[in-house]
């Protein structure tokens, strides 16, 4: 229990909530002391509304973002107050302001959150309007609140500048351990491999997102990689985690074949399963020690586990004899080599947190990460280019503008107590995608009812004002902490906070929660209907593009592997970038498919075929990466002309599938190509390998094993890649035909 509480308090979400609550409560208590509670409450709102835009970044971007947000809050509130007495001005200005602010999302996450903060301010502006000097003063309080929050946030940044990235590394390590644990579960005889694979795909989506976040933080925050041991430590840790994950994805085994082959020798697979599980356990243990900043001592001796598995392979070979055991030993040796590489990478990660990290340890790989980050600038043409219904941001901006306008009309025409709650609900719930909007609507409604019920139960006991004040602050901390991770629980605490605020300000009004539930319901219904009927952007409209991007990224990755296999040179920046892009694009594709599953059944067009293409692309990446991993970690023989012919055919297949998905004609007709050259190439590959293996009159046993391993792995991967690429073509044709 104590560990859970400590973990909760040490979390990034709790720290962020603490910043927001301090920024809100200090002005309230200070202004209340001087007899101006309303000013304190408005300053608190300015601080709380600035809080969403405070996303992780370097100090310069943080300060600029917060200052811009504070100014926009001031301007938005002032504009609404200026135009409110004149409906013929209010509605067009309101419409234009909402639309332009929503369009800022084209500039990325920070701009999206700045726009969100501004929309919250515009919504709350309808709670009470001012005129004359009071109007300027009231808007100024929003500015003061934003500036005060900025000051608190900067102070927290200086107190512990690396903690956020450190905790992200902890989460990444934990998720990677979970992925390796799932791989270990595949070795159980009665395991549900289909379900385990599904869970692995979902984890890859989460890991892809957290990799992007850490990559952004590490590059944006650095001034010089060599200037700080902590910077180097975090960077090397991230590189190691990415490599562990990529190695796991790129190394696949035929579990059905292995279980059939070793049914009579279960001790071999059990020994490997123990090793695979211990890889995950050590990573999980390491994540806890990093979080707690404690000295790390490995739970399991992975080197001993490797020796046990190596001895198990030797015992297996001795029992069956070298000839009969040859194929099995080769399969087990490939598994051993994977485990050895994984242990080596985990050891590198462990050493990173046990000793100082030097600049030379990075080996220049930080430059490759930097190339994956988009530069932070905001050209006007980016905004102009998105003024089209083909833009997801444009559609969402039109939708939320129209919905807020309807909400405002309903609130003005019908006898609603608080029209601004309807607007706030729409802003908070509404998302570009239907699935997420629907989910947030449900969670917000449940949280509001639950929070209201608990609030009434507490108020019925007649608590004193000091107790209500303490609970109000506590519930705000909990609400802001849980909101990012569990929206339903977060909404429950936020509702409790609001109920107690009104209980303190207006203790005689018991109907406030009923109005809140009604306004929440109206806003939620409007958001859901708008996402369904107003310029909807269903995932099936974009998933083809994600499939194309994934195929293209895999093709580029394969091209870089071919260059590496032919030239026998060190891995370079283009190779690493191509590899990273392949993993990023497959993550985007799987995320897109997951979003599609959250949409109405009627909008899940060709769901089975899309799932098949998603699975095929993931398998393609795994096979390509397996070939790449082997090429860079083993001394391979000279690439033959046949090898290049086969690879060229695979790339042509992938190019052709992209053309099919784009409905374009191509001179390449897959049905009329004669496969004689391809078959000859496979035959030639096998002959060349046989010739190479028997080239010397005397070949030592180790060389023979290495060449046999290369023969099996390379040729099997090429055959598998050909099959996958042809299946992608067929699936693409079926998909486009069914539209």
């Amino acid at each position: 229990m104590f560990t859970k509480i400590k973990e909760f308090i040490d979390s990034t979400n709790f720290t962020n909530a603490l910043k927001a609550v301090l920024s809100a409560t200090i002005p309230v208590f200070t202004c209340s002391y001087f007899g101006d509670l309303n000013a304190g409450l408005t300053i608190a709102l300015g601080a709380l509304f600035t809080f969403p835009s405070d996303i992780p970044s370097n100090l310069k971007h943080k300060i600029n973002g917060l200052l811009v947000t504070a100014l926009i809050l001031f301007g938005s509130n002032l504009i609404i107050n200026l135009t409110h007495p004149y409906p013929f001005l209010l509605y067009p200005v309101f419409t234009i302001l909402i639309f332009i602010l929503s369009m800022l999302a084209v500039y990325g996450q920070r701009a999206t959150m700045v726009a969100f903060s501004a929309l919250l301010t515009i919504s709350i502006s309808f709670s009470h309007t001012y005129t004359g000097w009071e109007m300027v003063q009231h808007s100024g309080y929003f500015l003061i609140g934003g500036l005060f929050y900025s000051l608190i946030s900067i102070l927290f940044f200086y107190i512990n500048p690396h903690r956020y990235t450190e905790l992200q590394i902890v989460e990444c390590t934990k998720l990677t351990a979970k992925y390796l644990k799932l791989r270990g579960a595949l070795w159980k005889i009665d395991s549900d491999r289909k379900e385990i694979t599904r869970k692995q795909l979902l984890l890859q989506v989460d890991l892809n997102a957290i990799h992007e976040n850490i990559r952004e933080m590490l590059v944006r925050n650095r001034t010089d990689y060599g200037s700080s041991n902590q910077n180097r430590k975090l960077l090397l840790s991230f590189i190691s985690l990415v490599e562990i994950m990529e190695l796991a994805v790129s190394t696949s085994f035929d579990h059905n074949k292995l279980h059939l082959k070793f049914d009579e020798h279960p001790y071999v697979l059990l020994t490997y399963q123990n090793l695979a599980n211990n890889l995950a356990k050590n990573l999980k243990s390491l994540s806890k020690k990093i979080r707690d900043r404690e000295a790390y001592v490995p739970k399991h001796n992975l080197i001993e586990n490797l020796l046990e598995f190596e001895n198990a392979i030797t015992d297996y070979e001795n029992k069956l004899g070298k000839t009969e055991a040859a194929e099995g030993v080769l399969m087990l040796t490939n598994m051993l080599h994977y485990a050895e590489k994984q242990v080596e990478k985990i050891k590198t990660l462990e050493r990173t947190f046990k000793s100082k990290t030097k600049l030379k340890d990075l080996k220049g790989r930080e430059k490759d990460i930097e190339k994956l980050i988009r530069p932070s600038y905001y050209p006007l043409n980016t905004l102009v280019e998105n003024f089209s219904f083909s833009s997801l941001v444009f559609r969402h901006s039109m939708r939320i503008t129209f919905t807020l306008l309807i909400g405002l009309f309903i609130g003005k025409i019908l006898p609603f107590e608080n029209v601004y709650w309807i607007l706030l609900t729409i802003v908070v719930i509404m998302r570009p995608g239907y699935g997420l909007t629907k989910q947030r609507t449900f969670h917000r409604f449940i949280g509001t009812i639950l929070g209201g019920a608990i609030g009434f139960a507490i108020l019925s006991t007649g608590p004193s004002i000091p107790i209500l004040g303490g609970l109000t602050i506590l519930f705000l901390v909990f609400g802001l902490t849980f909101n990012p991770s569990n929206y339903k629980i977060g909404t429950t605490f936020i509702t409790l906070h609001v109920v107690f605020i009104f209980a303190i300000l207006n203790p005689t009004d018991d109907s406030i929660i009923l109005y809140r539930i009604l306004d929440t319901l109206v806003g939620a219904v409007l958001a859901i209907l708008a996402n369904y009927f107003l310029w909807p952007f269903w995932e099936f409209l974009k998933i083809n593009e994600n499939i194309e991007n994934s195929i293209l990224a895999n093709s580029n990755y394969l091209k870089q592997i071919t260059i590496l296999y032919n030239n026998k040179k060190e891995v370079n920046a283009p190779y690493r970038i191509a590899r990273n892009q392949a993993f990023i694009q497959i993550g985007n594709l799987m995320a897109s498919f997951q979003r599609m599953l959250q949409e109405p059944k009627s909008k899940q067009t060709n769901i089975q075929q899309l799932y098949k293409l998603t699975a095929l692309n993931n398998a393609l990446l795994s096979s390509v990466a397996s070939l790449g991993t082997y090429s860079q970690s083993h001394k391979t023989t000279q690439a033959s002309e046949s090898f290049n012919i086969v690879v060229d055919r695979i790339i042509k297949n992938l190019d052709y599938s992209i053309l099919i998905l784009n409905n374009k004609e191509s001179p390449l007709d897959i049905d009329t190509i004669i496969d004689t050259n391809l078959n000859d190439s496979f035959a030639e590959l096998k002959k060349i390998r046989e010739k190479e293996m028997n080239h010397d009159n005397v070949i030592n046993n180790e060389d023979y094993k290495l060449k046999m391993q290369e023969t099996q792995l390379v040729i099997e991967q090429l055959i598998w890649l050909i099959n996958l690429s042809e299946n992608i073509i067929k699936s693409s044709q079926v998909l486009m035909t069914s539209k």
Side-chain angles (χ1 to χ4, degrees):
M1 183 67 178
F2 178 75
T3 305
K4 290 288 183 184
I5 294 173
K6 183 182 176 184
E7 187 176 341
F8 175 81
I9 293 173
D10 195 40
S11 69
T12 302
N13 289 339
F14 180 80
T15 303
N16 290 338
L18 199 59
K19 287 190 294 186
V21 171
L22 283 174
S23 304
T25 54
I26 291 173
V28 169
F29 286 126
T30 303
C31 292
S32 178
Y33 177 79
F34 288 105
D36 195 351
L37 179 60
N38 285 336
L41 290 172
T42 309
I43 293 171
L45 284 174
L48 290 174
F49 289 169
T50 304
F51 163 64
S53 66
D54 187 17
I55 66 172
S57 62
N58 65 17
L59 187 58
K60 179 182 176 182
H61 290 167
K62 177 188 283 287
I63 293 173
N64 290 342
L66 292 173
L67 291 179
V68 168
T69 304
L71 289 170
I72 289 178
L73 299 190
F74 166 76
S76 300
N77 184 262
L78 187 60
I79 289 171
I80 295 299
N81 277 273
L82 279 169
T83 57
H84 192 270
Y86 315 104
F88 66 93
L89 275 178
L90 173 65
Y91 292 109
V93 168
F94 176 82
T95 303
I96 294 169
L97 191 59
I98 294 293
F99 178 75
I100 294 298
L101 286 169
S102 301
M103 283 297 296
L104 293 179
V106 300
Y107 294 115
Q109 186 187 8
R110 182 183 300 283
T112 301
M113 299 315 295
V114 170
F116 176 70
S117 296
L119 294 182
L120 290 176
T121 303
I122 291 171
S123 301
I124 204 73
S125 297
F126 287 94
S127 63
H128 195 288
T129 54
Y130 299 84
T131 58
W133 171 247
E134 279 191 337
M135 172 179 60
V136 178
Q137 191 178 39
H138 183 74
S139 299
Y141 289 148
F142 275 95
L143 178 61
I144 292 170
L147 295 176
F148 185 64
Y149 175 82
S150 303
L151 178 62
I152 295 292
S153 181
I154 292 165
L155 287 174
F156 269 74
F157 181 89
Y158 275 113
I159 290 170
N160 203 345
H162 296 291
R163 190 53 175 164
Y164 174 80
T165 310
E166 200 171 69
L167 290 174
Q168 288 290 288
I169 292 287
V170 168
E171 185 65 20
C172 185
T173 307
K174 192 160 52 175
L175 290 178
T176 305
K178 193 173 180 180
Y179 187 88
L180 294 184
K181 185 180 179 181
L182 286 171
R183 281 180 62 93
L186 287 168
W187 293 100
K188 293 180 181 177
I189 294 175
D190 57 346
S191 63
D192 185 347
R193 296 192 186 104
K194 187 175 180 180
E195 177 61 18
I196 291 172
T197 302
R198 187 189 69 82
K199 289 179 179 178
Q200 284 180 318
L201 290 176
L202 290 176
L203 263 180
Q204 282 179 249
V205 174
D206 294 338
L207 277 163
N208 183 65
I210 202 168
H211 284 172
E212 284 292 298
N213 194 21
I214 296 173
R215 188 180 291 116
E216 191 80 16
M217 282 297 300
L218 287 173
V219 173
R220 299 294 189 205
N221 267 336
R222 73 164 180 84
T223 53
D224 180 3
Y225 282 110
S227 63
S228 164
N229 175 62
Q230 185 69 3
N231 282 344
R232 295 192 298 269
K233 190 184 291 290
L234 292 171
L235 185 60
L236 187 58
S237 303
F238 172 63
I239 291 170
S240 299
L241 285 167
V242 171
E243 289 178 346
I244 289 168
M245 184 62 191
E246 288 181 355
L247 179 60
V249 173
S250 66
T251 311
S252 56
F253 304 112
D254 188 338
H255 293 88
N256 291 325
K257 183 178 178 181
L258 284 165
H259 277 296
L260 287 172
K261 193 164 191 64
F262 297 104
D263 266 352
E264 297 179 4
H265 310 278
Y267 67 93
V268 184
L269 294 186
L270 285 173
T271 306
Y272 178 79
Q273 186 183 346
N274 180 59
L275 168 58
N277 287 334
N278 287 346
L279 291 173
K281 288 176 182 177
N282 271 20
L283 271 184
K284 186 177 180 181
S285 174
L286 177 61
S287 73
K288 291 179 180 178
K289 296 301 180 183
I290 298 171
R291 185 194 66 216
D292 298 334
R293 291 178 170 173
E294 296 176 355
Y296 171 70
V297 178
K299 270 194 168 184
H300 302 278
N301 191 323
L302 299 178
I303 302 299
E304 285 185 4
N305 294 151
L306 282 172
L307 289 173
E308 288 170 6
F309 183 49
E310 202 169 346
N311 291 334
I313 296 173
T314 304
D315 291 345
Y316 169 79
E317 187 177 37
N318 291 337
K319 282 184 180 179
L320 269 71
K322 289 191 176 182
T323 304
E324 189 178 344
E327 185 183 2
V329 168
L330 198 57
M331 295 166 71
L332 293 170
T333 302
N334 284 333
M335 293 161 60
L336 176 64
H337 286 167
Y338 158 74
E340 286 173 340
K341 284 180 281 189
Q342 205 65 287
V343 168
E344 180 186 344
K345 294 184 184 302
I346 290 174
K347 288 293 180 186
T348 300
L349 182 62
E350 291 173 349
R351 283 195 301 272
T352 301
F353 285 97
K354 290 168 71 174
S355 58
K356 282 195 172 184
T357 305
K358 299 176 182 177
L359 187 60
K360 65 179 183 179
D361 295 332
L362 295 173
K363 300 177 183 177
R365 289 178 290 178
E366 72 279 3
K367 301 300 180 185
D368 298 335
I369 293 179
E370 188 175 356
K371 291 173 183 176
L372 295 172
I373 303 298
R374 291 179 298 178
S376 293
Y377 65 98
Y378 308 99
L380 183 62
N381 66 307
T382 301
L383 185 65
V384 175
E385 287 168 2
N386 277 273
F387 277 90
S388 163
F389 278 101
S390 62
S391 167
L392 176 61
V393 175
F394 181 82
R395 285 171 178 255
H396 178 63
S397 299
M398 290 284 289
R399 189 184 309 123
I400 195 169
T401 301
F402 197 72
T403 309
L404 286 170
L405 203 55
I406 293 174
L408 184 59
F409 280 138
I410 290 175
K412 293 288 186 181
I413 295 169
L414 299 179
F416 281 92
E417 182 82 5
N418 299 301
V419 63
Y420 67 94
W421 272 353
I422 297 176
L423 303 182
L424 281 173
T425 300
I426 294 169
V427 171
V428 171
I429 286 178
M430 206 163 187
R431 291 294 180 268
Y434 174 86
L436 187 55
T437 299
K438 180 181 176 182
Q439 183 187 64
R440 287 175 71 86
T441 298
F442 175 74
H443 288 169
R444 184 172 179 84
F445 192 67
I446 295 297
T448 300
I449 293 175
L450 189 60
I454 296 172
F456 273 130
I458 295 174
L459 290 174
S460 66
T461 64
S464 64
I465 295 298
I467 291 175
L468 282 176
L471 288 174
T472 299
I473 295 171
L474 184 64
F475 290 147
L476 181 59
V477 172
F478 285 155
L480 295 177
T481 301
F482 283 107
N483 227 37
S485 57
N486 192 319
Y487 188 63
K488 183 163 52 179
I489 294 178
T491 301
T492 301
F493 282 117
I494 292 293
T495 301
L496 281 165
H497 168 76
V498 172
V499 169
F500 284 12
I501 282 283
F502 278 99
I504 293 170
L505 298 177
N506 194 359
T508 60
D509 189 357
D510 294 330
S511 62
I512 189 69
I513 190 59
L514 298 176
Y515 285 118
R516 178 172 168 81
I517 291 173
L518 178 61
D519 294 334
T520 297
L521 180 61
V522 172
V525 170
L526 286 175
I528 284 287
L529 292 176
N531 265 83
Y532 195 91
F533 292 108
L534 299 180
W535 310 286
F537 195 96
W538 304 113
E539 204 61 39
F540 74 84
L541 297 171
K542 191 177 171 108
I543 199 168
N544 270 29
E545 182 184 334
N546 289 322
I547 293 171
E548 292 169 33
N549 291 338
S550 182
I551 294 172
L552 182 60
N554 281 331
S555 179
N556 290 335
Y557 185 20
L558 180 57
K559 288 174 186 176
Q560 289 298 324
I561 289 169
T562 307
I563 293 170
L564 185 72
Y565 195 78
N566 277 274
N567 298 341
K568 313 297 180 187
K569 292 182 179 179
E570 291 291 325
V571 172
N572 53 19
Y575 175 89
R576 290 196 182 103
I577 291 171
R579 180 187 63 191
N580 287 337
Q581 282 300 314
F583 279 90
I584 287 169
Q585 292 301 334
I586 193 64
N588 291 340
L589 173 57
M590 289 188 289
S592 176
F593 184 78
Q594 284 303 121
R595 289 193 296 271
M596 189 176 184
L597 291 178
Q598 296 176 336
E599 295 176 348
K601 294 290 184 183
S602 61
K603 304 301 178 184
Q604 295 178 10
T605 308
N606 299 314
I607 191 73
Q608 294 299 326
Q609 208 58 37
L610 289 170
Y611 176 74
K612 187 175 181 180
L613 276 166
T614 302
L616 285 170
N617 271 282
N618 188 60
L620 184 74
L621 173 59
S622 179
S623 186
V624 169
S626 182
L627 191 59
T629 301
Y630 185 85
S631 299
Q632 63 180 290
S633 59
H634 291 78
K635 185 179 179 181
T636 55
T637 55
Q638 185 61 41
S640 66
E641 183 182 350
S642 296
F643 171 88
N644 291 319
I645 288 173
V646 174
V647 170
D648 286 344
R649 173 59 185 278
I650 296 166
I651 292 171
K652 283 181 181 178
N653 284 350
L654 297 179
D655 290 342
Y656 184 54
S657 64
I658 292 174
L659 290 173
I660 293 171
L661 291 168
N662 280 297
N663 278 319
K664 292 182 180 178
E665 294 295 328
S666 168
L668 176 65
D669 186 348
I670 200 67
D671 295 324
T672 59
I673 289 177
I674 300 174
D675 287 332
T676 305
N677 289 338
L678 187 65
N679 293 330
D680 289 346
S681 296
F682 276 123
E684 184 62 24
L685 276 175
K686 293 177 182 178
K687 286 180 183 178
I688 289 171
R689 292 298 179 262
E690 289 170 5
K691 184 178 178 181
E692 287 168 350
M693 286 187 288
N694 298 296
H695 180 68
D696 298 320
N697 293 327
V698 180
I699 266 185
N700 67 57
N701 199 37
E702 190 60 33
D703 283 346
Y704 178 79
K705 284 182 179 179
L706 289 174
K707 289 187 177 182
M708 278 292 292
Q709 185 184 11
E710 181 183 357
T711 300
Q712 184 198 45
L713 191 142
V714 173
I715 292 180
E716 282 190 2
Q717 291 301 331
L718 289 177
I719 293 171
W720 181 229
L721 283 169
I722 279 287
N723 290 334
L724 286 171
S725 64
E726 290 179 350
N727 282 332
I728 287 174
I729 287 175
K730 292 172 185 175
S731 297
S732 299
Q733 287 173 330
V734 172
L735 176 66
M736 299 310 292
T737 303
S738 61
K739 285 192 173 183

